[in-house]
Amino acid sequence: MNQALRVAIADSGQTVESLAEQVGVDPKTVARWVTPGRVPHPRHRVAAAVALGREVEDLWPDVLKRREPAWLRPWVETELQATALRSFQIAVIPGLLQTPEYASAVLASGLLGPDEVTEYVETRLRRQKAVLERRKPPLFIAVLDEFALRRGASEIMHPQLDHLVKMAQRPNILLHVLPLDAGLHAGQAGPFVIATTEDGDVAYLDDQAAGRLTNDTGDLWSIWDTLRSVALPRRQTIDFLEARSWLT
């Protein structure tokens, strides 16, 4: 629970309903802000802080402690609002499903120093907990290209694949491997994630320099449907991950 926000509402003489009216949102939305892992959009944080006579950092201190790049933060906040996430990855395991060791190896392969890698891994693990461990976690569907499962040392990949199998047992997590024998496919251009929120669909597109958000998801939905249609079903995916015949 966001104790600081709850206390601020009580101390100011406000109610969930009156605060919602001043901020311009539904009372149910404000009620969700008090629960763990729910962070308002920046404009709503500022409006709520003004209405309550507090500073934003007093009500949501963790927002300012994050180590994600500035360009990634809007997406991280979108993840916290999402009721469903649909992820396609062609080169790596999705961040929300990475083990600490795998995340460290992926981050260390870039330009980050050892201390930065440690901070980013810690931030990624907090992000996983905030999204997947909240009271009502989102539906998370991931299509993984088999190439992503073949990259990495066996001592890192075996525990990572064990983790994927474990996560795939959750009713809200659906994993689908896109096998190599599917050939060329519609996702060759790169990874993406589509988030379904109360305000509509938002997509995250990644590239070498930075990621970007877009509300123009029409073509991505068509690509997603195509990818899911040629990926392995859920049960076959779990069997595939357990067999892992390509790893020694």
Side-chain angles (χ1 to χ4, degrees), residues 22 25 57 71 79 95 98 117 123 143 147 152 171 188 239 242:
Q22 293 183 63
V25 297
E57 54 266 33
W71 51 263
E79 282 183 327
Q98 293 178 2
V117 168
T123 298
V143 173
F147 276 120
Q188 298 288 154
D239 292 343
E242 290 179 329

Side-chain angles (χ1 to χ4, degrees), residues 118-146:
T118 299
E119 289 182 352
Y120 275 74
V121 170
E122 291 176 351
T123 298
R124 184 162 296 180
L125 296 179
R126 288 198 299 269
R127 182 173 148 210
Q128 291 177 1
K129 184 175 182 179
V131 175
L132 298 179
E133 304 295 335
R134 68 190 194 219
R135 186 172 60 87
K136 288 187 177 180
L139 173 67
F140 185 73
I141 309 173
V143 173
L144 311 177
D145 195 296
E146 186 180 337

